[in-house]
Amino acid sequence: MNTPPKSGRNSLTYKEAGVDIDAGDALVERVAPAAKATRRPGADADLGGFGGLFDLKAAGFKDPVLVASTDGVGTKLKIAIDTKIYSGIGQDLVAMCVNDIVVQGAEPLFFLDYYATGKLEVDAAAVVIEGIARACKESGCALIGGETAEMPGLYAKGDFDLAGFSVGAVERGEILPRTHDMIAGDVVIGVASSGIHSNGYSLVRRVVSDAGASYDAPAPFAREVKLGDALLAPTRLYVRSALAAIKAGGVKGLAHITGGGITENLPRALPEGLDAEIDLGSWTPLSVFGWLAKSAGIEEREMLRTFNCGIGLAAIVAADKFEAAIAAFNAHGEKAVRIGALVSGQGEGTVRYRGALKL
């Protein structure tokens, strides 16, 4: 026999437990137009299904190999949360995934996002996801789905986390890097970053704290902008420019310069027996890097293995084709320069530096 509830006891709802289903539905409805704007051959970008669909045949591939990448934004999110500046963080998320895909020679096809928070704030979440959609569109990548998770008790008030997942495709014979084709004398091209991108922010935040700096104050290295805005400059999207450089011919390898800097990322595109000799004086890093180094006394080698130091993408190109590759990058709004060359080495490929950074 069932015992009736005690007199005066109210029925508990999911909303009272901290999860607002209506808010989630409102968010989906608000961002749906942005997602639909990312339509491309193979995907219609409608949201709401249990899974996102993509038609490789409709996208025009004949013998494709799929390339997948997943990533987040790291503690850069803490600066976005503290300043309530969310407009660029979605681009960071997309860039960290699609830039990893294009360096394999692949075209990003679709993207899914994961947004987790303690209490869903629709306006803030919408700004983030609309930024994701804009970055997907710029990269020719369909936003075909995602997940919003409201988990009270797991995240502090106002906190949220982001993760992204992207899949691309490349014809079997066009996968990069082509390490078997690389020879001493191949040119290394550096493509400029827009700032710190999305790596090293635990150290950045420590430098800001130790310096007693305020995100709302003018940036010490660029007085015309607030420090928070400067540190939140979105990661560049290299997809269209990199694909154009590949099409121009001569590109044998690409490296996305993320955590670990040039020091640890460029060797991922090198074969055994060849090293990359990089002239550190061949480009001028943005002033934010000089400020970080000087404010905290960070040594040059530590800078080079923590930050991109002004180079967000590196390309290994045949010596007789590197000018065409630079022209292709620059034609798509990038700043690309020759920063070094491949030289004979022993064992696994590594990076050799000469000169000094212009910090």
Side-chain angles (χ1 to χ4, degrees):
M1 181 176 179
N2 293 330
T3 302
K6 294 180 180 179
S7 176
R9 182 178 177 181
N10 294 324
S11 175
L12 188 63
T13 67
Y14 205 10
K15 186 174 183 178
E16 288 170 328
V19 179
D20 190 344
I21 295 174
D22 292 334
D25 291 341
L27 176 62
V28 171
E29 184 176 353
R30 176 164 167 178
V31 301
K36 288 183 178 180
T38 68
R39 291 177 185 271
R40 54 150 296 151
D44 61 15
D46 283 335
L47 299 181
F50 286 101
L53 303 177
F54 193 91
D55 185 344
L56 276 171
K57 185 176 181 180
F61 287 91
K62 299 176 181 178
D63 185 22
V65 173
L66 295 179
V67 182
S69 178
T70 186
D71 212 332
V73 181
T75 58
K76 187 175 186 177
L77 274 177
K78 286 296 295 180
I79 300 178
I81 291 167
D82 289 346
T83 60
K84 299 189 183 302
I85 300 172
Y86 307 122
S87 57
I89 212 76
Q91 178 170 321
D92 286 309
L93 183 67
V94 174
M96 292 303 291
C97 295
V98 299
N99 288 345
D100 277 356
I101 284 175
V102 78
V103 299
Q104 300 288 126
E107 174 188 351
L109 301 175
F110 60 84
F111 189 89
L112 299 99
D113 68 275
Y114 178 78
Y115 184 104
T117 187
K119 179 174 176 56
L120 183 60
E121 298 178 8
V122 174
D123 289 343
V127 171
V128 173
I129 297 172
E130 286 163 358
I132 290 171
R134 286 193 302 271
C136 283
K137 185 175 182 180
E138 185 176 336
S139 302
C141 180
L143 178 59
I144 64 172
E147 174 70 9
T148 301
E150 197 171 17
M151 296 182 282
L154 189 58
Y155 293 91
K157 183 178 180 180
D159 280 355
F160 65 92
D161 198 8
L162 288 175
F165 178 85
S166 188
V167 171
V170 56
E171 296 292 358
R172 193 174 301 274
E174 298 174 5
I175 298 172
L176 294 179
R178 297 201 310 272
T179 53
H180 60 282
D181 286 340
M182 293 180 186
I183 59 173
D186 284 343
V187 171
V188 180
I189 294 171
V191 186
S193 66
S194 54
I196 304 171
H197 284 184
S198 299
N199 299 100
Y201 275 85
S202 293
L203 180 54
V204 171
R205 291 168 51 243
R206 173 66 181 270
V207 173
V208 171
S209 176
D210 288 353
S214 169
Y215 294 131
D216 289 331
F221 49 87
R223 306 296 295 183
E224 68 278 8
V225 297
K226 292 182 180 180
L227 179 59
D229 289 312
L231 295 179
L232 288 171
T235 307
R236 284 198 70 80
L237 297 159
Y238 295 112
V239 172
R240 294 192 187 277
S241 61
L243 291 175
I246 292 170
K247 188 175 181 180
V251 174
K252 301 181 181 183
L254 293 164
H256 183 199
I257 310 303
T258 55
I262 296 173
T263 304
E264 296 185 8
N265 286 288
L266 187 51
R268 296 165 72 179
L270 296 175
E272 286 195 9
L274 286 175
D275 296 338
E277 186 175 77
I278 303 299
D279 178 5
L280 294 175
S282 58
W283 77 93
T284 301
L286 293 170
S287 56
V288 62
F289 296 107
W291 175 74
L292 288 167
K294 294 169 186 175
S295 294
I298 305 172
E299 296 182 356
E300 183 181 75
R301 288 302 188 266
E302 183 68 13
M303 289 291 296
L304 286 163
R305 68 188 297 268
T306 303
F307 302 110
N308 66 63
C309 291
I311 299 297
L313 187 80
I316 300 166
V317 188
D320 61 343
K321 297 287 183 66
F322 85 90
E323 291 179 340
I326 286 177
F329 277 116
N330 291 345
H332 283 75
E334 307 294 353
K335 296 179 181 178
V337 296
R338 176 176 179 163
I339 63 171
L342 299 192
V343 295
S344 296
Q346 296 182 346
E348 293 184 359
T350 188
V351 175
R352 306 180 196 174
Y353 293 114
R354 58 185 174 88
L357 285 171
K358 299 175 183 177
L359 294 174

